[in-house]
Amino acid sequence: MSRPARRRVAVVGTGAIVSGSHLPALRAHAERVELVAAVDVDQGRLDAFRALAGEEVAGFTSVEEMLDAVRPDLVLIGTPPSLHRAQTVAALRAGAWVLCEKPLTLSLAEYDEIAAAEEASGAYASVVFQHRYGSGAVHARDLLASGELGAPRVAHCQTTWHRDTAYYAVPWRGTWASEGGGPTMGHGIHQYDLLLHLLGPWAEIRAMAARLVHDTESEDVSTALVRFENGALATVVNSVLSPDEVSRIRIDCADATVELTHLYGHRNEDWTYTPAPHVASERADAWRTPTADVPSSHAAQLGALLDAYDNGVRPPGSGTDARATLEFAAALYKSAFTGQPVTAGEIVPGDPFYPAMHGDHPHWAPKEHA
């Protein structure tokens, strides 16, 4: 079977996440992709990126101009969140597949616009949730899905990071219109996406949120209690107020505890398996030996997307799969702001939390409307 042609790739946005994560991912798959274009409204930043990526990469200051001139196969989007929906829809309409930084959209309503654009174009849009793609996460999911660890019972998902006032001095941070939320949307989403990936669908959420330190429209801390369809109960904590930074997932099953402790990415060594007293040591030893050690990374996710592209199938991290993570964020906000439990599937058109994560709540709506 002949190898498919190299996919022609364009990047939109040339800031730190593109130059520091997407560009190395493209280089890791150089035999499968060719970077042909870059877009940035800042000419100086664009020039600096092209000097780094290669002067043969065409430069544009307009997404539409680039799409018309280049017609790429794949578009990687690393711009501020408020731009994601329009740029993703434009790329899909041009027939390109998309891999976009999280959050893919600022609301479920926007996400459903992308779903409609996918259906009309036949192309697909994935969101960057790279923590799913390391070998440790793949191995843990296989063990959980097969029942090898026993029934999941209790889980904890923790994103406790620290961001100072200088971080929020960047104009697009901390506002609903530009970022879509606080640490629930911009920081903890990676960990609870991985939790949902490991445990499956959630059923009910009860949450709280607060602004304790930062003068932002959105929260700087949120907590949630979650019931999963399989009966497991979980806690989820999202914070930018925590001096001792850590990202952690722990799942206690009938036969074992599996735990991941890291910060911004993981390898096999970051996963631990603790057997229940009744489990034989030989069985537990097998849990600790994934066949490879692939770090969670943009490169790992890009490889999975390219595999899907080559096979003409929907890529992981797209469609209803990725929507479920955004729905979890919307439900957490709705429960936190209304003080009521929220069940999966209840946020639909007509619900105030469908078009906006703040739900137009009087204490949380954008300041100009509050």
Side-chain angles (χ1 to χ4, degrees):
M1 181 176 177
S2 62
R3 179 183 294 274
R6 292 171 75 199
R7 307 301 180 184
R8 300 170 67 254
V9 181
V11 297
V12 178
T14 60
I17 193 65
V18 172
S19 60
S21 295
H22 286 283
L23 184 57
L26 291 168
R27 287 172 171 164
H29 294 283
E31 78 286 356
R32 306 180 70 182
V33 296
E34 176 188 8
L35 181 59
V36 296
V39 181
D40 203 302
V41 295
D42 185 318
Q43 186 67 53
R45 191 165 55 212
L46 177 61
D47 291 344
F49 177 80
R50 292 179 65 218
L52 178 67
E55 293 298 332
E56 70 276 7
V57 177
F60 298 86
T61 55
S62 161
V63 173
E64 290 74 16
E65 182 185 356
M66 180 276 292
L67 292 171
D68 287 342
V70 176
R71 310 303 291 186
D73 301 308
L74 172 64
V75 175
L76 309 182
I77 297 177
T79 52
S82 61
L83 303 175
H84 290 175
R85 179 198 58 80
Q87 292 171 343
T88 297
V89 169
L92 290 170
R93 287 176 176 167
W97 285 33
V98 175
L99 179 60
C100 180
E101 283 295 323
K102 55 76 185 168
L104 180 56
T105 63
L106 302 186
S107 69
L108 289 170
E110 285 191 355
Y111 194 95
D112 291 344
E113 287 184 49
I114 288 178
E118 281 188 330
E119 186 173 355
S121 70
Y124 297 113
S126 293
V127 59
V128 174
F129 284 134
Q130 72 272 21
H131 291 182
R132 296 182 178 195
Y133 297 89
S135 54
V138 173
H139 183 62
R141 188 170 192 256
D142 288 345
L143 291 173
L144 287 160
S146 69
E148 172 59 25
L149 303 183
R153 291 174 173 169
V154 183
H156 175 65
C157 178
Q158 175 185 352
T159 304
T160 42
W161 294 356
H162 190 270
R163 298 293 183 267
D164 59 16
T165 53
Y167 176 85
Y168 286 103
V170 176
W172 60 265
R173 289 179 177 148
T175 67
W176 294 108
S178 58
E179 197 171 17
T184 306
M185 278 284 275
H187 304 84
I189 194 169
H190 277 299
Q191 292 314 297
Y192 62 73
D193 172 75
L194 181 54
L195 182 72
L196 297 173
H197 185 61
L198 295 173
L199 281 184
W202 61 277
E204 180 184 358
I205 185 169
R206 299 167 184 257
M208 301 177 74
R211 299 184 201 96
L212 297 182
V213 174
H214 296 292
D215 182 20
T216 57
E217 291 181 349
S218 52
E219 84 291 356
D220 54 18
V221 62
S222 68
T223 63
L225 304 176
V226 186
R227 187 187 309 277
F228 282 81
E229 284 187 3
N230 60 22
L233 298 181
T235 62
V236 176
V237 179
N238 308 295
S239 166
V240 289
L241 308 178
S242 308
D244 183 10
E245 295 188 298
V246 69
S247 305
R248 180 178 291 124
I249 287 178
R250 171 177 168 144
I251 302 173
D252 298 322
C253 302
D255 293 344
T257 293
V258 55
E259 186 167 8
L260 166 66
T261 303
H262 66 118
L263 187 55
Y264 298 135
H266 57 79
R267 303 186 71 104
N268 289 350
E269 64 188 15
D270 300 314
W271 295 79
T272 60
Y273 292 85
T274 304
H278 65 270
V279 172
S281 59
E282 298 81 9
R283 180 180 168 199
D285 287 343
W287 301 338
R288 304 187 182 104
T289 54
T291 56
D293 190 2
V294 178
S296 62
S297 65
H298 286 66
Q301 181 165 0
L302 178 59
L305 184 146
L306 292 171
D307 289 344
Y309 199 127
D310 291 347
N311 291 301
V313 298
R314 174 177 286 281
S318 67
T320 56
D321 181 25
R323 191 185 190 278
T325 300
L326 195 68
E327 183 191 5
F328 184 90
L332 192 157
Y333 281 126
K334 181 177 181 180
S335 178
F337 297 169
T338 64
Q340 300 298 314
V342 175
T343 56
E346 79 169 56
I347 300 177
V348 296
D351 188 301
F353 289 85
Y354 177 75
M357 292 289 172
H358 55 73
D360 208 28
H361 188 278
H363 298 305
W364 289 97
K367 293 176 181 179
E368 62 267 30
H369 301 305

